[in-house]
Amino acid sequence: MIAYADFKIESLAYFSKKMPNHVRWVLQQIKSRIERLNALFRPVMHYNCSAHHEGTNMTEEASNISSDTAAYPWSKNEMFLFRAALAFAMRDYTNGEEFGVSDIHPCDETKRVSFWFVVTRPNTTDLVDKGTVEMAIKKSRNRINGAFLLTDQTLEFDGIYPTLAAPVSPDTPPWLIVFGVVMGAVSVGIIALLAYPLVQRKLKKNKDADDEDSDEETGVKTAEIGANDGIYNSTFSDDERFTQM
Amino acid sequence: MGKDAGPEERPKWDNKAQYLLTCIGFAVGIGNVWRFPYLCQIYGGGAFLIPYLIALVFEGLPLLFLELAVGQRLRKGSVGVWKTINPVIGGVGIGCLIVSFLVGVFYNTILAWVLWYFFHSFQEPLPWSTCPLNESRTDYNLECKKSTPVNYFWYRETLNITPDIEISGSVEWGMVICLASAWCIVYICFIKGIDSMGKAVYVTSTFPYLVLTIFLIRALTLPGATDGLLYLFTPDWQTLKNPRVWLDAATQIFFSLSVAFGGLISFSSYNEEKNNCERDAVLVGVINSATSLYASIPVFSILGFKATTALNACKDENILALTNHFEFSDQNITLQNYDYWYEYLNTTYPGKFQSLSLRECDLQKLLKQVLTPSYSTGLAFIVFTEAVISMPGSQVWAVLFFVMLFSLGLSSMFGNIEGVLSPLNELKLLPRWIPKELTSAIICLISFLVALLFTLSSGNYWVEVFNGYVGSVPLLIIALFEIIGVIYFRGMKTFSDDIYIMTGKRPNIFWKACWMVISPLLLLVVFVAYVIVQAQTRPTYQAWNPDYEKFPETEQKLYPDWVFAIIILLCVVPVISIPLVALYQLLRACRTLASLRSPRRRSRLRFPVKR
């Protein structure tokens, strides 16, 4: 077993020098408790991941910090879920190659809940190249997010940018509808205000034509017409203006 | 108003409230809501109130009282009034006409922009809250990403602005239909002259106060509101030593009260003769300033809220960067212990810390940044719309805000239109059989066609040109001549008698001192200082250029020569009528005098008809 483990580590190191083919996965805004990676299906799980990425590990200092608010509870079960989701993504992308949970190998887990992982082909130890893994993740990103009830903003794959949702564009822009309503009301108002005095005048004329036979004092009539067609100016409200009949 | 065979009867207000509301609506405009708070903030908060109130008392109120008194006594529009006082200064009225027309044209364009935003506020989510995607759908639109979605919506989707005033671009049809709606709404309110307008002001003058109160209550409950208010009202007494502050206070009062447009003269001429115009003037002036103050409270609360939101976003960004880089577990660095962690990490790991190049998150800086120094008409659209996104129920607030802006602007437009129509009627340029509905329609149509210039892609730059030069220097000159005309041509004695007839008491020593000495002096000083300040530097404008290396900052460009010539024209054309008419009248008087003295004509003495 040990020999097998040594071989795995070596081969990993060899591949990493040739082409970086692992993806770093960073979980944002998720609180973690440090869980040691327990023995998984293959005892070779304890990769020496520090060979593939630069930067020192800060977990030692950070381990003293206490956390106060509730956050995403990370555990090995969650890790299992992640591996299962990723296995599903690989299967989906490669159309049925039987990836299993054992083919996803996370390592270098930090308290941040960030870790690296590599994917191997089923039943072999060949590593899948980064491009394929990225495409698979991109395709099933929604499902992976959904498995953890997270979003693109809270679950980040370093280097894989989320494809943006297409904006909803309705057939008629809504602003034209509002414009139509407002302009319709205004036009109706204008026509009404312009037509109202004309209509009134016509009605008046008909009424006057009917009343022509009845005798009325012309003086009063003139006053009536004068009062209706203009602003009544009280300065001239002198009744003696008209000759008394 | 009927077209009888007898003399045309002057329209009348239905009641005093209509008159007051119209005057207040004319004075209170969009500038009260954004220009005053902006000035208040850059000139040291509470300390700015001192020069502002001094300018109001010594410059604003006397001018207001003068215009209202003159209009009410002589019962004519702006042209008739000056002709009556003395034909030599009849040109002042024509100047008012031209200024009102030009200001009305660009002011309604601003209302068209408000309408555009109003129409777009009925969407969920608000269109200025997110960036659109680029063509390949892989990322957000580049221009939008570099600046903000709000800026993008304003500059690109609303204006579709060109990088230079010389590049005219094409007509934006969306803006054209908004402009048409704005002019139609103005027309429908003005269709029957002051009969219809008087009814409209019941709504347009009172509604903004209602909305301001609602905003006040809402804004005061937002987080960060107190920061904004403290920033506004903390007086910085040092700024009083800067003469620029006094100049800006005087100009602000002057332009805010909408004197020298001719509209106020027309409005007061529809009053009955025995009306206490002194009280009206003081009332209108005080309400105008009080509104500015009242509006600045919600404005600054909202800006404080905006700065706080920006601060939290900045801190969140930094927290994320720190947590990721130093591999802390999540929620260890929070907004509360941010400062502690910042200091600790900076001192313990300076190298790593510097490599992150974190943004500086300072509230005072953000508050300053929120009100950018380069003031432009778009400030209301950018600053407010951004604040509205972060408020829950954004559609409601956006709709309320834009309806308020529209009402404020509409009631000011009434004054502008009145300042155009009433002199036109008096100049008898149009035949009498044309009904007033048609006259209003023609004016609205002509203004709309001229305003199509502002719907070009470079339209915003032209609005800035008009705003900066038509609405400033000519008004000062006209106001100066108004005071000179009333006090020296009509005479202080006659004017005092006028006021005695109208109000029942003569103007006291304060008014007399202001009219004869203080206000003309103040106006002259303001005018000269203004011209000097403008003439010191070649005028520049801020251009939105996506190819600028410091984008999203606006690029400062010089106006090209032909635009500069247009600016000069805009300043000169309104006031050229004053000397021209004076010259014409003098020549005429000389000719009449000469004809009287000529020996050949002695047999046919022809007395000049007294005007």
Side-chain angles (χ1 to χ4, degrees):
Chain A
M1 277 305 194
I2 310 266
Y4 186 53
D6 286 340
F7 166 77
K8 285 312 300 185
I9 289 169
E10 276 169 18
S11 65
L12 199 59
Y14 167 75
F15 277 107
S16 72
K17 276 182 204 135
K18 269 206 132 160
M19 49 184 169
N21 54 4
H22 41 258
V23 177
R24 178 172 173 235
W25 181 37
V26 177
L27 272 169
Q28 297 179 10
Q29 301 195 3
I30 300 177
K31 199 156 170 198
S32 73
R33 291 178 299 227
I34 287 192
E35 298 283 341
R36 292 224 152 221
L37 284 172
N38 294 325
L40 296 170
F41 298 100
R42 294 214 197 127
V44 296
M45 272 321 298
H46 217 72
Y47 290 132
N48 179 11
C49 291
S50 54
H52 342 296
H53 62 96
E54 65 279 35
T56 55
N57 212 330
M58 293 274 297
T59 43
E60 280 203 29
E61 285 103 305
S63 60
N64 294 330
I65 303 163
S66 65
S67 41
D68 44 27
T69 52
Y72 197 94
W74 189 249
S75 65
K76 61 179 185 192
N77 301 327
E78 302 279 344
M79 178 56 93
F80 183 78
L81 178 60
F82 170 73
R83 292 161 71 213
L86 214 58
F88 161 77
M90 294 303 302
R91 281 201 191 196
D92 196 36
Y93 182 68
T94 54
N95 280 326
E97 266 188 60
E98 302 238 332
F99 283 89
V101 169
S102 44
D103 295 311
I104 319 289
H105 313 284
C107 52
D108 243 10
E109 204 175 323
T110 67
K111 226 173 159 186
R112 181 77 185 83
V113 194
S114 82
F115 50 86
W116 300 83
F117 65 90
V118 296
V119 181
T120 53
R121 291 217 173 271
N123 299 324
T124 64
T125 52
D126 305 324
L127 295 172
V128 181
D129 64 285
K130 184 172 175 187
T132 319
V133 176
E134 272 187 2
M135 295 305 293
I137 293 176
K138 262 195 193 159
K139 185 175 177 192
S140 311
R141 187 64 189 269
N142 232 17
R143 305 293 295 271
I144 302 176
N145 283 352
F148 292 96
L149 303 174
L150 293 172
T151 66
D152 280 341
Q153 279 76 42
T154 42
L155 174 58
E156 184 194 356
F157 285 88
D158 200 16
I160 303 179
Y161 298 109
T163 38
L164 305 163
V168 176
S169 51
D171 291 329
T172 33
W175 75 272
L176 278 178
I177 300 173
V178 185
F179 162 75
V181 166
V182 168
M183 275 307 277
V186 168
S187 322
V188 164
I190 291 179
I191 295 173
L193 281 174
L194 286 174
Y196 182 66
L198 294 171
V199 167
Q200 258 212 327
R201 224 174 284 164
K202 214 179 271 185
L203 284 172
K204 245 317 173 62
K205 234 184 260 179
N206 292 340
K207 196 164 157 243
D208 289 343
D210 292 337
D211 292 342
E212 233 172 37
D213 303 325
S214 62
D215 21 78
E216 280 179 4
E217 293 185 345
T218 33
V220 179
K221 223 183 202 175
T222 339
E224 256 180 23
I225 295 174
N228 280 336
D229 279 346
I231 307 288
Y232 188 62
N233 193 329
S234 56
T235 323
F236 298 109
S237 64
D238 198 357
D239 285 332
E240 279 139 27
R241 205 167 138 217
F242 302 111
T243 8
Q244 297 297 329
M245 292 290 216
Chain B
M1 193 161 97
K3 302 279 180 210
D4 298 329
E8 230 170 76
E9 289 163 357
R10 201 153 184 84
K12 242 167 60 97
W13 297 110
D14 288 343
N15 51 48
K16 185 80 183 287
Q18 260 185 16
Y19 164 63
L20 280 176
L21 281 176
T22 310
C23 288
I24 292 172
F26 186 25
V28 173
I30 303 183
N32 289 67
V33 165
W34 83 52
R35 181 111 176 107
F36 174 77
Y38 163 77
L39 284 176
C40 213
Q41 180 261 321
I42 61 171
Y43 287 135
F48 181 70
L49 289 176
I50 294 180
Y52 185 72
L53 288 173
I54 292 178
L56 172 69
V57 165
F58 288 106
E59 186 194 346
L61 292 180
L63 271 172
L64 203 50
F65 187 14
L66 189 108
E67 281 212 354
L68 293 183
V70 146
Q72 193 173 301
R73 176 76 181 103
L74 298 174
R75 318 196 66 68
K76 293 210 165 92
S78 56
V79 162
V81 147
W82 303 114
K83 259 193 186 166
T84 311
I85 290 181
N86 194 317
V88 167
I89 54 164
V92 174
I94 300 179
C96 287
L97 166 68
I98 300 176
V99 166
S100 290
F101 175 72
L102 290 173
V103 170
V105 163
F106 87 79
Y107 202 79
N108 219 23
T109 311
I110 300 178
L111 288 187
W113 294 339
V114 172
L115 264 187
W116 167 276
Y117 269 85
F118 170 71
F119 291 150
H120 280 85
S121 303
F122 288 93
Q123 284 172 252
E124 161 70 29
L126 289 172
W128 54 83
S129 56
T130 49
C131 276
L133 301 177
N134 61 14
E135 271 135 23
S136 52
R137 302 274 187 93
T138 52
D139 199 3
Y140 293 119
N141 182 299
L142 185 63
E143 188 183 345
C144 185
K145 228 162 71 119
K146 283 201 208 163
S147 60
T148 61
V150 170
N151 276 338
Y152 178 79
F153 184 75
W154 167 240
Y155 284 110
R156 189 54 50 212
E157 297 198 14
T158 309
L159 301 173
N160 197 15
I161 206 162
T162 55
D164 197 298
I165 195 173
E166 299 201 82
I167 309 169
S168 291
S170 57
V171 169
E172 297 295 310
W173 69 268
M175 199 43 66
V176 169
I177 65 177
C178 286
L179 189 69
S181 337
W183 278 110
C184 284
I185 296 177
V186 168
Y187 177 59
I188 193 180
C189 292
F190 227 85
I191 200 167
K192 296 227 171 284
I194 67 163
D195 296 328
S196 51
M197 187 190 68
K199 312 273 186 310
V201 291
Y202 284 127
V203 173
T204 60
S205 294
T206 51
F207 187 71
Y209 289 99
L210 178 67
V211 177
L212 273 177
T213 312
I214 296 176
F215 263 106
L216 180 75
I217 299 172
R218 170 71 246 205
L220 286 176
T221 57
L222 289 170
T226 36
D227 293 314
L229 284 177
L230 273 171
Y231 192 68
L232 167 70
F233 286 121
T234 317
D236 178 16
W237 305 105
Q238 299 303 315
T239 56
L240 289 181
K241 296 188 195 152
N242 179 7
R244 194 66 201 273
V245 179
W246 296 87
L247 173 66
D248 272 337
T251 42
Q252 168 61 15
I253 270 289
F254 180 73
F255 299 132
S256 172
L257 283 173
S258 308
V259 291
F261 277 90
L264 285 172
I265 298 180
S266 301
F267 288 146
S268 66
S269 70
Y270 302 134
N271 266 333
E272 23 181 80
E273 196 155 358
K274 298 222 187 295
N275 174 48
N276 191 348
C277 49
E278 176 182 2
R279 207 182 45 197
D280 296 339
V282 173
L283 204 63
V284 170
V286 166
I287 289 182
N288 180 50
S289 298
T291 310
S292 297
L293 271 167
Y294 187 59
S296 57
I297 301 179
V299 164
F300 267 84
S301 307
I302 291 179
L303 291 177
F305 163 71
K306 191 165 176 281
T308 308
T309 320
L311 179 76
N312 287 344
C314 175
K315 281 190 181 169
D316 276 334
E317 224 178 272
N318 287 355
I319 289 175
L320 195 60
L322 284 172
T323 322
N324 276 345
H325 191 84
F326 291 103
E327 301 273 8
F328 292 141
S329 56
D330 195 57
Q331 303 279 353
N332 264 321
I333 312 181
T334 61
L335 286 173
Q336 282 79 31
N337 56 25
Y338 171 81
D339 296 314
Y340 159 72
W341 273 110
Y342 195 87
E343 284 309 309
Y344 170 71
L345 289 171
N346 199 4
T347 43
T348 334
Y349 304 101
K352 273 173 152 333
F353 196 78
Q354 298 306 321
S355 68
L356 279 177
S357 52
L358 296 173
R359 259 175 57 199
E360 258 237 58
C361 297
D362 178 41
L363 184 63
Q364 294 301 316
K365 265 212 195 113
L366 281 169
L367 276 169
K368 251 200 193 29
Q369 211 177 52
V370 155
L371 281 167
T372 48
S374 59
Y375 161 81
S376 75
T377 43
L379 201 70
F381 299 111
I382 298 177
V383 172
F384 272 72
T385 46
E386 196 159 355
V388 150
I389 300 173
S390 341
M391 288 159 65
S394 356
Q395 279 78 13
V396 174
W397 301 113
V399 167
L400 268 180
F401 176 67
F402 290 117
V403 174
M404 175 187 79
L405 276 191
F406 192 75
S407 312
L408 283 171
L410 192 63
S411 49
S412 299
M413 272 306 290
F414 293 154
N416 286 326
I417 299 289
E418 180 65 28
V420 172
L421 277 178
S422 152
L424 266 184
N425 283 332
E426 288 180 344
L427 283 173
K428 303 199 176 21
L429 288 174
L430 299 164
R432 290 203 46 199
W433 47 267
I434 295 186
K436 62 174 185 280
E437 291 90 347
L438 194 56
T439 329
S440 321
I442 292 175
I443 295 296
C444 288
L445 188 65
I446 294 178
S447 308
F448 167 69
L449 291 173
V450 173
L452 282 177
L453 158 75
F454 301 122
T455 57
L456 291 172
S457 293
S458 56
N460 187 33
Y461 301 132
W462 287 107
V463 170
E464 297 291 325
V465 167
F466 271 64
N467 189 21
Y469 298 103
V470 167
S472 59
V473 170
L475 288 175
L476 286 167
I477 299 178
I478 290 176
L480 201 57
F481 276 101
E482 282 190 357
I483 292 192
I484 293 175
V486 169
I487 300 305
Y488 296 107
F489 280 86
R490 188 155 179 85
M492 196 64 225
K493 174 114 189 6
T494 329
F495 192 51
S496 301
D497 291 337
D498 290 333
I499 296 181
Y500 179 68
I501 293 173
M502 291 192 288
T503 65
K505 53 184 164 91
R506 294 183 185 279
N508 57 31
I509 190 71
F510 166 72
W511 296 117
K512 284 199 180 141
C514 280
W515 285 327
M516 297 190 73
V517 178
I518 303 181
S519 298
L521 205 64
L522 256 173
L523 274 178
L524 200 62
V525 166
V526 166
F527 171 65
V528 168
Y530 201 87
V531 168
I532 289 178
V533 164
Q534 296 285 346
Q536 267 171 357
T537 52
R538 185 90 190 275
T540 57
Y541 65 104
Q542 304 292 115
W544 179 262
N545 186 5
D547 298 322
Y548 184 44
E549 64 256 3
K550 283 204 231 151
F551 188 76
E553 276 175 35
T554 45
E555 186 182 356
Q556 198 172 43
K557 290 191 179 172
L558 285 174
Y559 280 122
D561 288 330
W562 62 278
V563 175
F564 196 64
I566 293 182
I567 291 176
I568 304 286
L569 259 176
L570 284 175
C571 290
V572 163
V573 160
V575 292
I576 200 89
S577 55
I578 302 179
L580 280 180
V581 167
L583 217 63
Y584 172 71
Q585 292 292 342
L586 282 173
L587 282 174
R588 219 165 148 194
C590 286
R591 215 182 302 139
T592 337
L593 236 79
S595 71
L596 278 177
R597 289 206 196 119
S598 136
R600 230 186 273 173
R601 297 226 184 131
R602 218 164 257 184
S603 52
R604 294 192 296 150
L605 259 176
R606 198 179 282 145
F607 290 100
V609 176
K610 188 147 187 182
R611 287 201 175 265

